[in-house]
Amino acid sequence: MYIRASVTIENCFIIPFFVLLFMSLISITGYYHDRLIIKCAVQMAALKLEETPKEEEAVAEENMRQQLSGYVSEKTLFIKNASVSIERKNGAVLVSCNGISAEIGENRPSNIIRKLNAAREVVSR
């Protein structure tokens, strides 16, 4: 009685390939999950910092830096040490975390209304 070894040889190459493929898919989806969590957290932090009064900027920035770092470390799958930086320049807030950043400009409703009224006036002519 002869046993064919072709099934063993085929499985020797096929099973590791599919395991590697499966682990790669898990790693890639985890990477994009972490990027999405960081992107949303950075945008929320920038919006909150833009709303803070000028007198409380330093305290708010330090609190937001700690909160954002803790949130990212808690919610992400692969990132446990988040590096957060917050900068203010020309009336805009720039928040970045592990290479992902969001910039929110100063909101001035009076300028927006003025430009909107000027555009309406031009269009109505």
Side-chain angles (χ1 to χ4, degrees), residues 10-22:
E10 288 172 1
N11 286 335
C12 166
F13 293 107
I14 292 174
I15 289 176
F17 173 74
F18 281 111
V19 169
L20 181 66
L21 181 69
F22 182 70

Side-chain angles (χ1 to χ4, degrees), residues 4 11 21 37 46 48 54 71 77 88 91 112 115:
R4 294 186 54 165
N11 286 335
L21 181 69
I37 293 291
K48 284 187 179 182
K54 293 204 182 271
Y71 180 81
L77 299 173
R88 288 187 184 264
I112 296 170
K115 289 177 184 177

Side-chain angles (χ1 to χ4, degrees), residues 3-5 9 25 29-30 38 43 45 55 57 62 68 71 74 77 79 90 93 98 113 116:
I3 299 174
R4 294 186 54 165
I9 299 297
L25 287 174
T29 55
I38 292 172
Q43 289 175 348
E55 301 83 32
E57 282 181 358
E62 187 57 37
L68 183 59
Y71 180 81
E74 180 182 322
L77 299 173
I79 298 172
N90 299 334
V93 177
N98 291 8
I113 293 170
L116 183 62

